[in-house]
Amino acid sequence: MPKDEDIKKVLIIGSGPIQIGQAAEFDYSGSQACKSLREENIETILVNSNPATIQTDIDSADKVYVEPLTAEVVAKIIEKEQVDAILPTMGGQTGLNIAIDLNKMGALDGIRVLGSPIKTINDVEDRDLFAEFMERLNEPIPKCHAVNSLEEAFEAVEDIGYPVIVRPAFTLGGTGGGIANNKKEFEEIVNHGLDMSFINQVLIDESVLGWAEFEYEVMRDKNDSCIIVCNMENIDPMGIHTGESIVVAPTQTLSDEDNQRLRNASIKIIRALGIRGGCNIQFAVHPETKEYKVIEVNPRVSRSSALASKATGYSIAKVSSKIALGMTLDEISNDITKETPASFEPAVDYVIAKIPRWPFDKFKGNTGELGVQMQSTGEVMAIGRTIEEALQKAIRSLDIDQEAFEYTDYTDYDLEHATDQRIFQVYSALKDGRSVEEISEITKINPFFLYKIKNIVELENKIQQQGSSVLYDVKLFKEIKQYGFSDKRIAQLLNLKEEDVFKAREELGLKPEYKMVDTCAAEFEAKTPYYYGTYDSLPDEISDNKKKIAVLGAGPIRIGQGIEFDYCCVHAALALKDEDVETILINNNPETVSTDYDISDRLYFEPLTKEDVLEVLKQENPDGVIVQFGGQTSINLAKDIRDAGIKILGTPFESIDMVEDREQFTEVLNELNIPQADYGITNSLEDARKAAHSIGFPVLVRPSYVLGGRAMEIVYDDDELEDYMKEAVKVSKEHPILVDKFL
C-alpha cells in the first residue's frame, strides 16, 4: 500500500500512569498504533512508564522503553534510536505536551511529527490562537480570554460577565477548572488554575451552561478525504465535563438539518487544521434557537474516540496510525467486513449508552458534585435496541450493587446541581409523579431523554400492578425484557426470587438474541463480528465445532481494579488462540484492549452480572470458563457459574471460596499452623459490637468479597462502629462483615 517511503522507524509516546482524566483509553490507542504500524513493516519504538498496561509488554513494539515520560528522556531515546518520526497523538495530553517541549528544545529537527503537526497542537491548545483560528474559519466559539495573571482575569470577566467557565490551558480532563458565579469563587478558581496549567495560563470562557452538548469523531487523510466515524450526544447539559456525562450514540435529538450543519463544521475544521488521522470536536447547541458554538477540538485520540471505536466497530486509533504514515482512507481495509474500505462511514442499527464510573465510594465526605473538572476513573458502555435497554444494561455494568434505576432521596437543589446520583434522582422525581417539563426546566436535560426514563417508570408500575401474571403474558414479558429489565429487577418488583422469574422466562422461550456490531448495519457480511444481547427475536445458533473457552473481563476502571486485569485477559485470549482454542470474551469497558474486535474469536459487550454472563455461556456452551483474570468482578461470579454446571478452569471455585470466606480460610491456616490476627464475622451491629469488645478496640472492619480495600476502616469505639455498619451493609449486601484486630 502506498505510504511515505521515508518513514521506516517511528517512536510512539505513551500516556504514563492511569490517572483521572487519562485512563485505559490511551493504552488501547497506543497498542492499536503499535499493531497498525507494524502491519506496514514500520519499526516501532515505544516509550511509556506504566507497568500495568499491555502496551509495555515486550511483544507490543520492536523496542519498549519503560522510562519517565519527560521531554529530556524522550529526546535521548530519539537520538539513540535515530527515529524518522514521532507519533504523540496516541498518548493523551502527556504525549502532546512532550511533543511541544521537544519542539522548543530543538529535539525535533529533521524528525517528522505524525498525526497532528506542532502548529496544529498549538492552534487548538492555546486559546488565543484557537480563537483567531476559528474567527478565520467563521466558526462561532464562546467569548473567551486567555490570561496569565489574576489582574488580567478580572479584566476578562468585566468584558464577559458572570457566570464564567475557568479552564487551565494545556491540562487534561478539565483539571483545575470550575464555574465561577461571583468574584470570590472566580479569584479562588483562577489562582488554582494558574498553578495547574502547563503554561501558567487560564481561559475565561463565556458560559453556555444548560446548552446541549454533541461530539463528532472525524477522520481525514492527506487527500483531504473526510468521514464522520460517529456522533454522540450528552444526556447531561453543558456545565458537566463530557467525561462526566452520560452519553448516547448516535445523536438522538438533532434534526437532520442541524446534524448536517455540525457535520459540515467538523469537516471544515479538521481540513483547516491539516490533521492526518482522527480528531474529536465538541459543540454546544442552544436547546431552543439551535445556535451552535465550537467548544473544543482534540487533535488526538481521546476517551470519546475509544467509545466511538467500540460503539461502531471502527478502530479510530488503528486507521489514524495508518493515515499518519501517508496512507489514504480508500487504501485501508475495514477489518470487520474485510470487504469495505475505511472510507465507508460506519452505520449503526442500535443505540449505545455510556455511563462514567466515579470513585466517590472511596472518599468519605465527598459530595459527588459534578462539573467541568473530570472526576470519573472509567466508564461502561452498553448496547441495546432502545435507549431504555442500553441505559438499564449500563447501570448493571457499573458494578455498584445496583440492578437498575433505584429510588434515591433528592431535593430540587440536587436535581439542579448534578452529582453522580443525578440520573437516579431524576428517575425518583418521575416516580414521584413530577412532570417531564418541570424536571427538564430544573435539570436542563432534554425532555426526550426524560420521557425514556419515564417509560421505564411506567413499565415498573405496570409490573407491580399486574403482579406475577406478567410472567405468563409472553407479549408483555418480552416488552419488559426489550426495555432492559433483568430477571433480578423483575423479581425485586414482584417480591419473588430471581430463579422464579428465570424459570418463567425459560418456559415462555424468551432468551436473548445476540446481534452483531458490524460497522455497516448488516449491509455486508461481518468477518470479525462482536455481539450484544437483546430481546428482539430468536437467536442464531453458534457452531460447536472447535474447543472453546470463555474469559470474563473486569468491567470499568476504578480505584483498586485498573488495567492490570485487562492485561491478564488479553494475554489469556492470545495464549488460548496460540493453542488453537476458540476464545469468547465478555466485558463492558470501551476503553480497554480486551474489548477490541480482534483479541478474541467472539466478543460479547455485556454487563458482568449473573444473568447476562450465564445467558452468553448458554448460547456459546464453552468447554470451560476462566474467571481468575477479571479481578473481583469475575471472581464474584464464580459460584453462579459453578452452580449452573459450567466448568471453571484454573483455580476452582472451592479454592476461591476458601480464600474469600474467612471461616474456611482460618481452617486452612490452622491446619498449616500459620497465625492470624483475632477476628469476628458478623452481619449485624449487635454481633459486630460483641466481636469488637471481645477483640478490643481499635478494630479493622471491612466487607468480604470486595475489592482493593473498598469500605475498609479502622474504628476506635462503639459510635464509629455503628456509623460504619450502616454504610458497610449497603456495600456488601450478600456477604458478611469482617472485624479484625488492628495490628
Side-chain angles (χ1 to χ4, degrees):
M1 287 184 182
K3 57 180 185 289
D4 296 352
E5 294 303 328
D6 57 335
I7 301 174
K8 293 184 169 55
K9 199 178 198 182
V10 175
L11 174 67
I12 297 164
I13 302 173
S15 61
I18 297 298
Q19 50 197 297
I20 289 175
Q22 190 162 283
E25 64 272 19
F26 296 109
D27 183 43
Y28 164 69
S29 54
S31 302
Q32 278 286 339
C34 290
K35 188 192 297 183
S36 189
L37 297 188
R38 292 176 95 184
E39 282 173 0
E40 303 306 323
N41 297 315
I42 301 290
E43 191 178 345
T44 55
I45 314 295
L46 174 77
V47 57
N48 202 355
S49 57
N50 189 335
T53 73
I54 197 82
Q55 205 183 101
T56 49
D57 211 32
I58 52 169
D59 298 330
S60 289
D62 294 297
K63 282 187 187 169
V64 176
Y65 284 85
V66 180
E67 289 289 327
L69 286 170
T70 66
E72 292 73 22
V73 168
V74 175
K76 284 178 186 168
I77 295 169
I78 289 172
E79 193 179 346
K80 178 173 184 277
E81 290 293 342
Q82 293 292 294
V83 298
D84 304 310
I86 66 165
L87 183 60
T89 52
M90 303 292 161
Q93 197 67 41
T94 304
L96 297 189
N97 291 354
I98 287 172
I100 284 165
D101 275 352
L102 288 169
N103 190 54
K104 284 178 189 165
M105 290 163 58
L108 296 180
D109 295 345
I111 306 287
R112 295 269 294 274
V113 179
L114 302 181
S116 294
I118 296 293
K119 183 181 183 307
T120 298
I121 296 170
N122 277 320
D123 277 347
V124 297
E125 296 284 337
D126 183 304
R127 204 62 187 188
D128 280 340
L129 294 176
F130 183 65
E132 286 169 26
F133 182 78
M134 287 298 161
E135 200 174 323
R136 287 200 302 276
L137 288 183
N138 201 25
E139 286 295 334
I141 63 168
K143 199 186 279 189
C144 172
H145 293 284
V147 300
N148 296 87
S149 69
L150 189 59
E151 292 71 33
E152 288 177 18
F154 280 129
E155 285 171 27
V157 82
E158 265 186 48
D159 175 45
I160 296 170
Y162 293 109
V164 288
I165 294 170
V166 181
R167 298 188 298 148
F170 281 89
T171 63
L172 180 88
T175 303
I179 298 162
N181 296 294
N182 53 52
K183 187 179 176 183
K184 184 171 178 288
E185 288 175 4
F186 184 68
E187 187 170 336
E188 197 177 296
I189 298 168
V190 168
N191 280 329
H192 181 53
L194 288 167
D195 288 341
M196 297 299 292
S197 171
F198 178 64
I199 57 169
N200 300 107
Q201 183 188 75
V202 296
L203 318 168
I204 315 297
D205 283 349
E206 174 192 350
S207 169
V208 282
L209 297 179
W211 291 34
E213 185 169 1
F214 299 89
E215 293 185 68
Y216 281 68
E217 291 291 336
V218 203
M219 191 71 75
R220 174 189 172 271
D221 65 22
K222 66 181 180 186
N223 289 350
D224 234 7
S225 296
C226 297
I227 66 164
I228 305 292
V229 176
C230 183
N231 60 11
M232 296 174 275
E233 177 169 0
N234 292 10
I235 290 180
D236 296 289
M238 288 294 297
I240 297 172
H241 190 285
T242 188
E244 301 287 271
S245 297
I246 297 173
V247 174
V248 295
T251 57
Q252 302 291 310
T253 67
L254 280 180
S255 68
D256 182 54
E257 186 184 342
D258 290 327
N259 173 37
Q260 294 303 332
R261 282 166 67 219
L262 299 188
R263 188 193 157 84
N264 292 342
S266 301
I267 290 170
K268 181 165 125 187
I269 290 165
I270 195 172
R271 281 180 171 155
L273 285 168
I275 290 171
R276 281 197 195 180
C279 163
N280 165 269
I281 302 176
Q282 288 158 288
F283 296 95
V285 176
H286 193 283
E288 283 151 19
T289 65
K290 301 304 174 186
E291 171 196 359
Y292 77 84
K293 291 185 188 287
V294 180
I295 299 301
E296 192 165 61
V297 176
N298 281 313
R300 55 171 171 80
V301 295
S302 62
R303 188 173 288 189
S304 296
S305 311
L307 181 68
S309 296
K310 301 301 169 69
T312 58
Y314 186 108
S315 177
I316 290 170
K318 183 175 183 181
V319 176
S320 291
S321 301
K322 290 190 188 293
I323 288 173
L325 290 177
M327 295 168 67
T328 56
L329 284 162
D330 58 306
E331 294 169 343
I332 302 165
S333 72
N334 178 323
D335 281 344
I336 284 199
T337 63
K338 306 283 188 194
E339 288 180 28
T340 56
S343 51
F344 269 50
E345 287 197 352
V348 299
D349 49 3
Y350 47 81
V351 180
I352 74 109
K354 172 213 102 176
I355 302 183
R357 179 62 157 80
W358 288 281
F360 301 135
D361 57 324
K362 288 279 184 182
F363 302 118
K364 222 178 174 183
N366 190 302
T367 61
E369 195 160 321
L370 309 179
V372 297
Q373 191 166 326
M374 206 159 152
Q375 299 170 87
S376 57
T377 52
E379 62 194 28
V380 298
M381 182 183 102
I383 312 175
R385 304 296 281 181
T386 62
I387 289 175
E388 294 88 342
E389 181 180 32
L391 280 174
Q392 297 226 75
K393 284 176 74 176
I395 291 168
R396 291 212 293 285
S397 299
L398 285 168
D399 206 6
I400 53 171
D401 293 324
Q402 225 167 291
E403 200 61 28
F405 286 94
E406 280 184 12
Y407 192 91
T408 307
D409 289 334
Y410 69 93
T411 62
D412 281 4
Y413 179 90
D414 296 323
L415 293 176
E416 191 177 343
H417 299 82
T419 68
D420 58 321
Q421 294 299 305
R422 175 147 84 167
I423 191 82
F424 304 114
Q425 291 166 338
V426 163
Y427 158 86
S428 305
L430 289 164
K431 197 94 172 155
D432 286 343
R434 309 269 298 264
S435 74
V436 163
E437 291 70 24
E438 183 190 4
I439 298 168
S440 177
E441 182 61 36
I442 298 170
T443 62
K444 305 298 182 231
I445 294 173
N446 190 306
F448 173 85
F449 296 112
L450 298 176
Y451 277 114
K452 294 293 177 186
I453 299 169
K454 191 179 180 187
N455 288 343
I456 292 168
V457 169
E458 287 175 348
L459 204 46
E460 284 183 351
N461 293 341
K462 195 171 183 180
I463 292 167
Q464 289 178 311
Q465 282 160 10
Q466 297 205 8
S468 56
S469 67
V470 300
L471 303 182
Y472 309 100
D473 182 338
V474 69
K475 192 176 171 209
L476 179 56
F477 203 158
K478 185 177 177 183
E479 184 190 351
I480 292 165
K481 294 302 284 185
Q482 283 176 326
Y483 271 40
F485 284 84
S486 66
D487 290 351
K488 193 171 182 179
R489 180 57 175 162
I490 299 166
Q492 286 170 353
L493 292 165
L494 294 174
N495 289 322
L496 295 171
K497 288 181 180 166
E498 186 181 349
E499 289 70 27
D500 298 335
V501 178
F502 169 74
K503 278 178 194 161
R505 180 164 62 78
E506 288 271 288
E507 282 167 18
L508 292 175
L510 284 175
K511 55 182 178 175
E513 172 189 18
Y514 292 98
K515 289 184 172 286
M516 287 181 190
V517 173
D518 61 4
T519 76
C520 62
E523 194 176 339
F524 298 90
E525 188 184 347
K527 303 288 196 296
T528 320
Y530 77 82
Y531 296 88
Y532 65 95
T534 184
Y535 283 78
D536 209 35
S537 56
L538 292 175
D540 298 325
E541 292 302 318
I542 287 175
S543 69
D544 282 321
N545 302 335
K546 229 175 167 186
K547 183 173 184 182
K548 56 185 172 183
I549 290 171
V551 178
L552 299 193
I557 302 291
R558 60 264 208 210
I559 292 173
Q561 189 160 297
I563 52 172
E564 62 276 12
F565 296 110
D566 197 62
Y567 173 88
C568 298
C569 291
V570 170
H571 266 294
L574 297 178
L576 292 168
K577 271 187 174 180
D578 287 346
E579 298 301 320
D580 201 32
V581 173
E582 204 168 282
T583 53
I584 316 302
L585 212 141
I586 311 169
N587 203 359
N588 52 46
N589 187 335
E591 303 171 21
T592 60
V593 178
S594 69
T595 52
D596 210 13
Y597 54 79
D598 58 358
I599 293 297
S600 54
D601 290 289
R602 275 190 293 287
L603 165 68
Y604 286 84
F605 226 104
E606 291 290 280
L608 289 161
T609 65
K610 175 184 170 183
E611 178 184 334
D612 297 283
V613 168
L614 290 182
E615 286 294 346
V616 172
L617 297 178
K618 252 194 290 181
Q619 169 84 351
E620 283 285 355
N621 191 26
D623 296 279
V625 182
I626 297 176
V627 300
Q628 66 199 49
F629 297 133
Q632 197 70 42
T633 301
S634 54
I635 288 288
N636 287 352
L637 291 166
K639 183 177 187 297
D640 296 321
I641 292 167
R642 193 275 313 260
D643 291 350
I646 301 163
K647 188 176 182 183
I648 291 175
L649 302 177
T651 306
F653 168 72
E654 290 70 25
S655 300
I656 294 168
D657 203 40
M658 219 178 276
V659 175
E660 297 279 355
D661 182 292
R662 183 56 73 94
E663 286 172 299
Q664 290 186 59
F665 186 56
T666 299
E667 284 173 26
V668 174
L669 292 180
N670 289 343
E671 276 174 39
L672 299 173
N673 202 23
I674 296 172
Q676 71 178 134
D678 288 346
Y679 73 90
I681 300 172
T682 171
N683 282 307
S684 69
L685 173 60
E686 192 184 330
D687 288 346
R689 202 175 274 137
K690 278 180 194 164
H693 282 265
S694 164
I695 294 163
F697 286 110
V699 290
L700 187 71
V701 281
R702 58 187 164 140
S704 55
Y705 274 91
V706 298
L707 171 88
R710 183 177 169 211
M712 182 188 281
E713 277 185 37
I714 303 156
V715 301
Y716 292 89
D717 56 40
D718 283 335
D719 290 343
E720 285 185 9
L721 185 66
E722 185 171 347
D723 290 344
Y724 175 83
M725 288 299 290
K726 283 176 193 163
E727 288 304 309
V729 172
K730 288 181 201 168
V731 171
S732 188
K733 294 171 186 170
E734 293 169 16
H735 298 290
I737 307 297
L738 307 176
V739 182
D740 288 332
K741 175 72 183 163
F742 177 53
L743 302 175

